[in-house]
Amino acid sequence: MLRTTVRVPKRSGTSSPVIRRLVTGSAVLIAGICALSLLAAAIGPYRIPFGHTAGAVAQWLGLGDGAATRSEQAIIETIRLPRIVLALGVGAALATAGAVLQGLFRNPMADPGIIGVSAGGALGAGVAIAAGAAAAFSLALPAMAFAGAAAALALVYAIAAAGGRFSMAALLLAGVAVSAFLGAIVSAVIVFTSEQEAQREMIFWLAGGLDSTGWEDVRIALPAMGAGIGVTLVFARDLNLLLVSEDDARALGVRVGLARNALLVCAALITGTAVAFSGTIAFVGLVVPHALRLIFGADHRVLMPLRALGGPLCLLAAAP
């Protein structure tokens, strides 16, 4: 069980400490993101001087001309910046989903894959690669991965609600069982795929990465992830109360069913979208919420926005 004491302060004089921690944490994390983004744009098989990189990014943002050559500008704008921008979205999505699920399940080991979404996305991607759809159509892989993630969530929810008695414990057990079952099917798809190139592509996709990211992926993924993250921020106070107990939350006026279902759907949406475009990345959703909780406390009004910044920082640091 996640034994975290959440204090619900009185209304008078409560905004000051919350805002202070939020502003301080945001400033530190944004500074780290900017520094690591510049580093990620500069390094690679073709190294670009940091001065040229900063100038190229400034020119892309419309802030003036830089000293970068045309080839350097093209590499940064068409190859590296899409990866960086998508890494920001994926990191924010996974960290937010991990925070939501750890709060709902009151379990420190909960992560975005615990409700079967990651395994469903992996199965959809594996089928797309094995069937040759990914090679024929560029968006077939993320489309089928997202469809698999959505189908896995529907299956888990149906199992948990069977008999008309829905509970978070049943949802957790159903998620673990469905994840294991779908993981076995993914292994079977890899084993029985005859083409070695397809097998290799599936294995690399399951490892997670942003190597083949383009601006088209960014335009499709970011709105869905941004919308889901935005909705979870609205329920930050309700998540504080749900972390204590559902009965106490209900007594304090929280519409428990609405808040719980909205948070679950948003966590699944942003996880499914992230998995569809980046593969399975496990550590961000598990580690980032705990790290920020240790530093800034357990108030989700502070932690939910900061996790949307800590996730990108962690992902950029892991794969610059």
Side-chain angles (χ1 to χ4, degrees), residues 94-104 110 112 239 285 289 293 300 303-304 307:
L94 294 178
T96 299
V100 168
L101 295 174
Q102 287 172 9
L104 287 176
L239 190 57
R293 188 183 294 113
H300 284 87
L303 290 181
M304 294 302 285
R307 284 163 183 168

Side-chain angles (χ1 to χ4, degrees), residues 13-78:
T14 60
S15 60
S16 176
V18 170
I19 293 176
R20 191 183 310 118
R21 283 183 290 162
L22 185 59
V23 170
T24 302
S26 299
V28 172
L29 292 173
I30 290 173
I33 288 173
C34 293
L36 285 180
S37 297
L38 185 63
L39 178 65
I43 64 176
Y46 182 82
R47 291 186 175 269
I48 301 173
F50 288 106
H52 291 195
T53 302
V57 173
Q59 184 174 343
W60 177 70
L61 293 173
L63 301 178
D65 296 332
T69 65
R70 288 187 177 181
S71 60
E72 291 172 342
Q73 189 78 29
I75 289 172
I76 290 174
E77 287 190 8
T78 61

Side-chain angles (χ1 to χ4, degrees), residues 121-145 186 189-191 193-213 217 275-280:
L123 179 58
V127 171
I129 295 171
F137 180 50
S138 61
L139 293 179
L141 193 151
M144 292 189 67
V186 171
V189 171
I190 295 174
V191 169
T193 299
S194 58
E195 296 183 8
Q196 291 186 352
E197 185 62 30
Q199 287 182 333
R200 183 182 178 186
E201 187 176 352
M202 280 186 272
I203 292 172
F204 273 101
W205 189 90
L206 290 172
L210 302 166
D211 292 341
S212 58
T213 299
D217 301 322
V275 168
F277 287 91
S278 67
T280 52

Side-chain angles (χ1 to χ4, degrees), residues 106 237-256:
R106 306 185 194 95
R237 180 181 176 276
D238 294 345
L239 190 57
N240 277 345
L241 300 175
L242 288 170
L243 189 59
V244 179
S245 75
E246 290 189 0
D247 291 336
D248 290 339
R250 190 175 289 107
L252 290 170
V254 176
R255 299 175 65 182
V256 172

